[in-house]
Amino acid sequence: MKRVWIDTDMGFDDLAAVLTVAQTPGWRIDGLSLVAGNAPLEVVIDNALRAAAYFGWDFPIHAGCARPLAGELVTAQNILGADAMGSAGRSLPPARAALADVDAVGALGCYLAAAGEPAALLALGPLTNIATLLRQRPELAARIAPLMWMGGSAGPGNHTAAAEFNAAVDPEAINAVLDAGVPLQMVGLDACRQVRVHAADADALRALGTDKAEVLADLLLGYVRIASSDGSLPMALYDPSAAAALVAPEGMRFRPAHVVAECQGEHTRGMTVVEWRVPRRATANALVASVADEALLRRVVLDALAQAARAA
């Protein structure tokens, strides 16, 4: 059994990513830590606890950092909606699971320290929780292998012309994680945009005819409509592509690179500067996703959503 801890700012694509891992045979989620990003922390918590109750998750869920290491929190609610789960119809039911008593940073620290071998982490939002932990307990960097992160970009951004959203929220956290020596695998915008989802995929989910199928189809269609209000254009699968790359590593090709986050630039704060010319110009400190197998990664994600939709 392969095991992973997931750190997330729970919106719909985060939910799809968690379901991708949860529904993949041979994988176990040991815990979920929550961070502000897509929405303020209290909204992220509500999303996660409602998802846990609806899908029957049995792993602990821990509340983490409510703001980035530096500066004020910027959310994606202007794009994703107030609850970061814009829907074409139904949403997650209001019933909530219980939140664990231990905060996310403490819980993740205990988890890593107790693991018999370096543990896999899947990060789907700003890296604030992980950076905060490593500032407090730098020795735990050696207990992480790998850290798969959906964030950054080796090309243009989406939050700004230069910066991807997760990176823009907390660029200081990126540098703290890299400086700690964590083996980072960065799945950025340029890789995720190679994997797309369509309105027809929501129709296929809906055709399964269950209550969960109806909810997931409405949420998926709401997500697709981010790209076009009528759903006629495909939408990139962001967080689920990183999850699929974790459970099906043959679906994503990575290249060694040196990555640093820009923290000062007036127009470039949050930009992930990727130096591909290693080792000639710099020493590699990360693996950066470059080529995605769209057919494979789509199948992994959509099959997982279908399995979740069929579950009692």
Side-chain angles (χ1 to χ4, degrees):
M1 181 70 69
K2 297 180 180 179
R3 306 169 75 162
V4 64
W5 182 287
I6 300 180
D7 190 81
T8 174
D9 58 344
M10 183 71 72
F12 170 70
D13 65 329
D14 302 74
L15 170 61
V18 174
L19 290 174
T20 295
V21 179
Q23 296 295 330
T24 297
W27 280 86
R28 173 182 171 83
I29 300 171
D30 284 339
L32 200 71
S33 50
L34 306 177
V35 65
N38 281 330
L41 185 61
E42 60 269 21
V43 176
V44 171
I45 292 170
D46 187 58
N47 287 343
L49 298 184
R50 290 166 67 184
Y54 193 49
F55 292 104
W57 296 343
D58 61 359
F59 43 81
I61 300 175
H62 304 267
C65 296
R67 56 179 295 162
L69 297 183
E72 298 300 318
L73 174 67
V74 175
T75 75
Q77 290 167 294
N78 62 316
I79 302 296
L80 303 178
D83 65 353
M85 285 201 180
S87 176
R90 295 180 61 189
S91 299
L92 294 171
R96 294 178 20 144
L99 186 67
D101 293 334
V102 181
D103 72 276
V105 174
L108 179 55
C110 290
Y111 173 73
L112 293 174
E117 58 187 14
L121 302 186
L122 174 62
L124 305 171
L127 293 176
T128 314
N129 286 336
I130 299 167
T132 300
L133 172 63
L134 294 175
R135 284 184 168 185
Q136 296 174 0
R137 302 182 65 181
E139 75 279 4
L140 292 180
R143 308 297 301 161
I144 301 172
L147 169 57
M148 182 80 79
W149 176 48
M150 191 280 116
S153 176
N158 61 353
H159 182 67
T160 68
E164 180 273 332
F165 175 77
N166 288 337
V169 171
D170 199 342
E172 285 81 6
I174 301 169
N175 289 339
V177 168
L178 289 168
D179 291 346
V182 172
L184 180 70
Q185 295 183 11
M186 186 179 103
V187 183
L189 289 181
D190 41 317
C192 295
R193 285 171 170 161
Q194 298 173 43
V195 186
R196 296 156 296 180
V197 67
H198 306 257
D201 298 315
D203 294 338
L205 267 178
R206 197 181 311 278
L208 296 176
T210 68
D211 186 77
K212 288 186 175 68
E214 187 76 21
V215 171
L216 285 172
D218 281 344
L219 289 170
L220 181 58
L221 183 55
Y223 180 75
V224 170
R225 288 178 177 173
I226 294 172
S228 58
S229 60
D230 63 356
S232 60
L233 297 178
M235 177 64 186
L237 270 178
Y238 291 123
D239 292 339
S241 291
L246 177 71
V247 301
E250 67 275 18
M252 189 73 76
R253 186 185 311 165
F254 289 83
R255 293 172 55 193
H258 182 87
V259 177
V260 64
E262 173 58 54
C263 296
Q264 300 300 325
E266 178 183 357
H267 301 293
T268 57
R269 177 173 166 80
M271 179 181 183
T272 43
V273 181
V274 178
E275 174 58 87
W276 296 111
R277 298 170 297 176
V278 296
R280 182 165 56 93
R281 291 294 182 91
T283 301
N285 65 352
L287 294 174
V288 178
S290 59
V291 180
D293 183 334
E294 181 181 33
L296 173 59
L297 297 181
R298 268 178 46 84
R299 185 169 69 251
V300 169
V301 174
L302 294 174
D303 283 355
L305 294 182
Q307 290 174 38
R310 295 188 186 100

